[in-house]
Amino acid sequence: MIAALALATAGSLLLAPDSAGADPLPVTREGSAVDDRAAEAPASAARRALAAAEETPTATAARGYPRRQTLSPDPGNPGDKSLKLGLIPYHAIAPKLNALQRLGDRVSVEVTGRSAGGHRLYLVTVTAPETTRQARAQDRMRELIENAPATAAKSREIKRVYKTPVFVNNNIHGNEWEGTDASLKIIQQLATAKDAKTRDLLAHSRLYFNITANPDGRIAGTRANANGFDLNRDFVTASQPESRAMRRIELDKQPAVLLDLHGYVNGTLIEPTTPPHGENYEYDLFLKNSYANALGMESAVNALGYTPAKDGVEPAQIPFRDQEEGWDDWPPIFTPQYAAFHGTVAAHTVEIPLAVNNEEYDQLPVPELRRRSAVNTAVAGAAIRATLDHVREHRPSLVADQIEVFRRGATGAPQVPVSPRTVPGVPGIGPEDVYTTTFPRAYVIPPGDSRTQRSAPAAARLVDHLLANDVRVTRATRPFRLAGRTYPRGSYVVDLHQPKRGMANVLLADGRDISDKVSVMYDISGWSLGRLWGATVEQVPSGSLKGAPLRPVTEAAPVARVPGHGDLRLRLTDPREVAALNSLLQQGVPVRRAPDGSAIVPASARGKALAAARAHDVSFTATRLTGGAPLHRLRVAAAVTPGELFPLREMN
C-alpha cells in the first residue's frame, strides 16, 4: 500500500501563507507545486516524508480578512479516482480556490501543511471582511474565552461582536469523497450571496473549511493516507502530518461547532452517538447542542425528498435516539470526539448515504456511481447549510456553553451528569447515558533517571505531547511535597484546574473497565500514553498546589547527556534510544551488548555518542561493564501493518 500510494516528496517544503500585515493585503503566489506523479517509495523516501511531517501552524500575526493568495497549479492527474465519480480531482482544487477568492472579499485560503504524500492541505475561511484591528480583537476575545472564562462570560463585547468559529472537516477518509465537493459549492454560494441571512451569518461567524483532510487517499481512492494510516484513528497520538494540521486548526480557531463529513451509512447517520460516552467531556453541554443541531440536519436532509423506492435513500438517523449501542463516542481518536476537548460543544460525524467506494467503485457502472455521488453531495450540502442556520440562530448560547466548558475546567468544578432535568428537550436520556469521572487534583510526571529505571526520554516525549495538545504543564524548580509525597526537582506537574482538563485527563488517566455497562463498541477504546510509552505518571487525587515551586514550560527539558570520562552505557527502553543505537552502528561504532540488555559504547566514540544524544535526545551514563557480544546493525524484512512499519522506521 505504501509503495502504491506514497508520492514523490523531494523538495516538498511546508509552505505557510504570506505574512504581510498591511491592510488591504497584496495577492501573493504560494510557491511551486509539488510533483504529485505516483512513484514507488523506497524506505529512504518514506523516512524523508516522516521527517518532514511537522505541522505548519495556521496561526499568524493577526491580520485582517480576506487573506488572499494565488495557489500554483498542480500537474493534471488522469489517474485521480475522483474523476470516475464526476467529483473534483485534487489537481483542480487549487484553481477552484483561486477562482473562489476572486468572487469577492469573503473567501480566504491558507495552506496548513502537506500530506504524507506531499500534497498541500487547504483551509478556506469564509467571513465578512475584517480590518487588522478587528482581527486582533477577535483573537483577543478567543484567548479570553479559554484563558479567562469567568471574565469572558460577563463580556458584553463577546456577546455583541465575537464571531462564532465553525469547522467543516472533509474527506478525512480518502475514499469518502463528497464532503469536499459539497463544501466547495457552499463556499461559492456564501461568497456571492446577498440575502440578509448570509450577511448576518458572516458578520457573526468565521467558517473554516478543511477542503480535503486526506488528499493522498482522495487521489488513490483509499481510506488511508500515503503512509497507510487511518487519520480518523490518529488524534490521540497525532503521528501523521494531516492529523497535526487538523489539531493545529482546532487549537488556533477554537471552533464551537464541527462537522466531519464521511460516508457511507444509509440512511444518513448524524451524531450524537450511542453510549458509552466519553467520561471526560462536559457531556451535558455537548449533548444539548449536538442533539439540537442534529435535528436540524435531519430535517434538512429528509427535506431533499429522496426516498428508498425512488432513489435508494433511507431517512436520516440519529444514533443517540435511534440506536441502543454500537456507535459510541468513548475514545478521543475521532475528529468530533477529539474536538470536544478543545471547546467544541456541537460536534458530529455525518455519514452520507450511498456507497461509491470499495467494491461499488469497481463494480457499478459509471452513470450509477455519478448519480450516487450527486445524491451524496446534496446530502452533505444540506447538513452543512442546516448547521450554518443553527449557528446563526443560536450563536449566543453556543459561545456561552463553550465558555462554560473552559470555566468548569479552570475552577475544578464538578461535571454535571446528563438527565432529563439537566438536558431538557433531549428524549431517551437514561442511566445508560451517564458517564462521568472524578478528576484528580493533578498529575506528576517525574523526570526519569537510570537509577530508578524511569525513562527520561519517555517522560520528555509525554510532556511535549501534552503541550502539543494545548495541555498546560509546569516544572518544579526544586524538590517539593504534594499530598504527603516528596517529588524531585525537575518533576513535571499537570494541574487539573485548567481550561482543557478533559484533554489532560484523557491522555494521562489509566481509564477504566466499562464491560458491565456496554456490550459492544464501534472501535478501539484502550489507550494510556504513560503506560504505552514507559513514562511514570502519578495521580494526585487531592491537595493544594499553592506555594509549590512550579514554573510553566513550553517544552520538555532536554534529556541529552554524555559523561566526560569512561565507556558509555545506553539503556534500550525507549524508541529514541534504539534509534540512537542504530545511528551509532550505522557509523561503524563498535557497540557491545551488556548482560542487562543495554548497549556499551567505547570511550573512543564519545564524540559520535554526543551527536547521537543531541539528535535523539537521549542520555548516556558512565559504566565499567566489560565484555558482552558485539552488536550489528540489522536489516529487517517485515510483513506488517503501516502502524507497525511506522515505529520500525522511527527507530531507524
Side-chain angles (χ1 to χ4, degrees):
M1 180 184 291
I2 290 176
L5 299 185
L7 307 175
T9 59
S12 59
L13 301 178
L14 301 182
L15 300 177
D18 67 283
S19 58
D23 214 8
L25 295 167
V27 175
T28 61
R29 183 161 293 281
E30 184 269 339
S32 60
V34 67
D35 178 5
D36 71 346
R37 293 171 296 176
E40 288 192 1
S44 59
R47 281 195 297 270
R48 286 197 302 273
L50 295 175
E54 294 299 327
E55 62 261 36
T56 299
T58 60
T60 58
R63 45 196 179 90
Y65 283 98
R67 302 174 182 179
R68 295 193 184 98
Q69 58 179 311
T70 301
L71 301 166
S72 55
D74 294 282
N77 181 359
D80 191 306
K81 298 294 187 180
S82 311
L83 290 166
K84 184 177 179 180
L85 302 173
L87 301 172
I88 188 167
Y90 177 80
H91 58 261
I93 290 177
K96 178 66 174 179
L97 296 180
N98 288 336
L100 290 173
Q101 290 181 102
R102 291 193 295 267
L103 289 177
D105 56 7
R106 297 173 176 175
V107 178
S108 303
V109 178
E110 299 172 69
V111 176
T112 61
R114 290 191 182 256
S115 67
H119 295 93
R120 290 171 291 186
L121 303 169
Y122 302 117
L123 181 69
V124 172
T125 304
V126 185
T127 193
E130 297 173 20
T131 65
T132 297
R133 182 176 182 180
Q134 289 170 329
R136 288 174 178 164
Q138 291 293 320
D139 289 351
R140 175 174 47 77
M141 288 184 279
R142 186 179 67 246
E143 291 293 321
L144 196 69
I145 286 171
E146 178 185 346
N147 298 320
T151 301
K154 301 175 184 177
S155 170
R156 294 181 180 179
E157 182 185 25
I158 288 174
K159 291 182 174 67
R160 188 177 71 256
V161 300
Y162 182 62
K163 290 186 171 183
T164 310
V166 180
F167 183 25
V168 180
N169 199 49
N170 302 295
N171 201 201
I172 190 171
H173 289 148
N175 62 354
E176 298 167 11
W177 287 270
E178 292 92 342
T180 293
D181 297 76
S183 284
L184 289 171
K185 291 178 184 292
I186 296 289
I187 293 166
Q188 183 160 341
Q189 294 164 4
L190 294 171
T192 57
K194 306 297 185 184
D195 61 286
K197 287 185 177 180
T198 300
R199 292 198 303 270
D200 180 59
L201 172 71
L202 299 183
H204 296 96
S205 308
R206 283 185 182 172
L207 314 178
Y208 301 104
F209 296 84
N210 194 18
I211 298 301
T212 168
N214 184 2
D216 303 347
R218 184 177 187 85
I219 294 166
T222 60
R223 182 180 179 92
N225 73 344
N227 280 341
F229 273 69
D230 183 334
L231 300 174
N232 203 40
R233 303 295 184 274
D234 193 42
F235 280 97
V236 167
T237 48
S239 68
Q240 300 301 294
E242 301 92 337
S243 307
R244 296 179 181 184
M246 287 180 277
R247 179 177 70 187
R248 177 51 52 191
I249 292 167
E250 292 185 18
L251 267 60
D252 289 344
K253 312 306 183 185
Q254 204 166 286
V257 178
L258 179 145
L259 292 186
D260 198 32
L261 292 165
H262 288 256
Y264 300 94
V265 175
N266 195 4
T268 303
L269 181 148
I270 303 170
E271 291 181 344
T273 72
T274 69
H277 307 300
E279 64 181 358
N280 291 285
Y281 306 142
E282 306 303 326
Y283 199 70
D284 61 314
L285 303 175
F286 187 85
L287 179 58
K288 163 194 166 184
N289 291 291
S290 293
Y291 189 79
N293 190 42
L295 291 177
M297 285 191 279
E298 177 189 42
S299 178
V301 168
N302 290 341
L304 293 172
Y306 298 123
T307 67
K310 177 169 64 76
D311 310 288
V313 178
E314 300 291 337
Q317 56 183 300
I318 299 173
F320 184 90
R321 182 194 64 197
D322 300 331
Q323 303 175 18
E324 289 189 9
E325 57 181 18
W327 190 279
D328 57 273
D329 56 21
W330 177 264
I333 55 175
F334 310 118
T335 314
Q337 282 64 56
Y338 179 79
F341 294 118
H342 293 294
T344 304
V345 294
H348 312 261
T349 291
V350 176
E351 298 272 353
I352 54 182
L354 299 180
V356 295
N357 58 0
N358 302 328
E359 62 270 14
E360 286 86 358
Y361 186 95
D362 295 326
Q363 297 172 8
L364 292 176
V366 170
E368 173 60 12
L369 287 172
R370 294 191 172 189
R371 181 194 73 83
R372 291 186 176 197
S373 286
V375 170
N376 290 335
T377 302
V379 169
I384 297 170
R385 285 191 296 272
T387 295
L388 299 184
D389 286 342
H390 184 82
V391 169
R392 186 180 60 80
E393 295 167 6
H394 299 280
R395 184 190 75 86
S397 62
L398 289 166
V399 174
D401 286 344
Q402 183 179 72
I403 292 171
E404 175 62 8
V405 168
F406 294 140
R407 187 202 66 81
R408 290 181 187 179
T411 60
Q415 292 171 302
V416 177
V418 296
S419 70
R421 180 184 62 81
T422 58
V423 194
V426 178
I429 298 177
E432 72 279 3
D433 293 306
V434 178
Y435 285 83
T436 57
T437 190
T438 300
F439 292 101
R441 183 63 186 84
Y443 287 96
V444 178
I445 304 171
D449 60 57
S450 59
R451 294 184 301 279
T452 62
Q453 299 300 303
R454 289 169 174 156
S455 173
R461 179 190 297 110
L462 180 56
V463 167
D464 283 335
H465 192 69
L466 291 169
L467 293 166
N469 283 278
D470 207 27
V471 173
R472 300 175 185 183
V473 183
T474 59
R475 192 165 188 250
T477 58
R478 61 179 186 274
F480 68 102
R481 287 184 63 79
L482 180 60
R485 292 196 57 182
T486 299
Y487 294 96
R489 176 181 179 272
S491 293
Y492 298 98
V493 178
V494 181
D495 183 353
L496 265 288
H497 286 191
Q498 61 172 291
K500 296 185 179 179
R501 66 175 178 184
M503 185 84 263
N505 205 51
V506 81
L507 294 178
L508 293 174
D510 284 343
R512 64 180 171 125
D513 184 352
I514 58 171
S515 302
D516 61 340
K517 297 196 69 174
V518 64
S519 62
V520 63
M521 296 178 69
Y522 179 66
D523 210 324
I524 57 173
S525 54
W527 67 92
S528 179
L529 296 186
R531 293 188 180 276
L532 286 170
W533 294 353
T536 300
V537 177
E538 298 184 9
Q539 187 181 107
V540 181
S542 60
S544 173
L545 297 176
K546 186 177 182 179
L550 305 175
R551 290 184 179 177
V553 297
T554 57
E555 61 181 353
V559 172
R561 178 178 175 273
V562 175
H565 303 282
D567 288 348
L568 307 171
R569 175 175 176 260
L570 178 65
R571 296 172 63 228
L572 301 177
T573 59
D574 187 89
R576 293 184 188 178
E577 292 162 337
V578 177
L581 168 61
N582 279 321
S583 72
L584 293 174
L585 293 173
Q586 197 169 14
Q587 299 173 68
V589 174
V591 183
R592 306 188 312 277
R593 183 181 183 89
D596 65 358
S598 61
I600 307 302
V601 179
S604 59
R606 190 178 318 281
K608 292 179 179 178
L610 180 60
R614 290 172 175 169
H616 299 281
D617 199 25
V618 298
S619 179
F620 291 79
T621 57
T623 184
R624 294 182 179 178
L625 291 174
T626 60
L631 286 171
H632 303 283
R633 180 166 168 79
L634 300 179
R635 179 176 298 277
V636 178
V640 295
T641 67
E644 293 165 314
L645 183 62
F646 187 88
L648 290 174
R649 285 176 167 162
E650 188 179 44
M651 290 185 286
N652 195 20

